[in-house]
Amino acid sequence: MPASHTRPTPAPLLKPGETVVLFDGVCKLCNGWARFLIRHDHDRRVRLAAVQSPEGQALLAWAGLPLDQFDTLAVIRDRQYWERSEAVFEIIAQLPARWRPLLVLRAIPRFLRDWAYDRIARNRYRLFGKYDTCLLPDPDHARRFLKGPP
């Protein structure tokens, strides 16, 4: 299984080279991850989109991922997308240098990383909780979220 998946066309709604992180907008763990990215991505290298949003749904459809059951984090850039543990490492690579030592964990075989990832992802609501609806970004963070054309 390749580290990334390649599609024949560029992802919709994205500018060339733009990176978007798709996350479960009702998952408390996923929302915490999104807030972490907003706080630590000072260079604004990644944008965010909840999978429940119209933008998230369009990107899921483009990648051929399920539109109604989403148990993984995804990162999309140009014609490529990453899932599960590879998506996490793709995000870490976009963060400031102080976070890059975590990339050493990539040495762990992917099947083990993805096995652990899947256990957490499948139990995330029970372990961390769930919101009733997608949380809206704070007004000062709204520009960090991908928006489709009006």
Side-chain angles (χ1 to χ4, degrees):
M1 178 186 256
S4 71
H5 305 276
T6 303
R7 303 295 295 165
T9 59
L13 308 173
L14 303 185
K15 297 173 187 161
E18 187 172 42
T19 300
V20 173
V21 175
L22 292 177
F23 68 100
D24 182 348
V26 297
C27 168
K28 289 185 177 183
L29 173 65
C30 304
N31 271 275
W33 180 235
R35 285 191 299 276
F36 173 86
L37 290 175
I38 289 169
R39 188 169 52 251
H40 294 285
D41 179 22
H42 304 293
D43 294 333
R44 301 183 187 286
R45 297 181 74 182
V46 297
R47 308 248 343 250
L48 301 162
V51 295
Q52 295 88 349
S53 70
E55 296 82 6
Q57 290 285 296
L59 291 171
L60 289 174
W62 169 84
L65 295 170
L67 300 178
D68 56 350
Q69 283 188 309
F70 197 75
D71 290 334
T72 186
L73 181 71
V75 174
I76 297 176
R77 182 181 320 109
D78 298 323
R79 295 175 188 259
Q80 293 182 294
Y81 72 95
W82 296 260
E83 297 178 86
R84 300 158 78 192
S85 66
E86 285 297 325
V88 173
F89 288 122
E90 191 60 30
I91 294 166
I92 291 169
Q94 301 297 314
L95 291 174
R98 72 176 187 204
W99 297 102
R100 304 239 174 89
L102 292 173
L103 293 174
V104 73
L105 297 173
R106 219 175 207 161
I108 297 170
R110 187 168 357 146
F111 77 92
L112 290 174
R113 289 186 274 130
D114 285 345
W115 178 87
Y117 183 96
D118 290 343
R119 299 291 90 51
I120 294 169
R122 288 185 185 132
N123 295 293
R124 68 190 183 277
Y125 297 144
R126 186 171 49 81
L127 294 171
F128 302 99
K130 179 179 177 180
Y131 296 111
D132 293 329
T133 59
C134 281
L135 295 181
L136 297 174
D138 294 336
D140 60 325
H141 295 147
R143 66 186 175 277
R144 301 297 299 271
F145 285 77
L146 183 66
K147 292 289 181 206

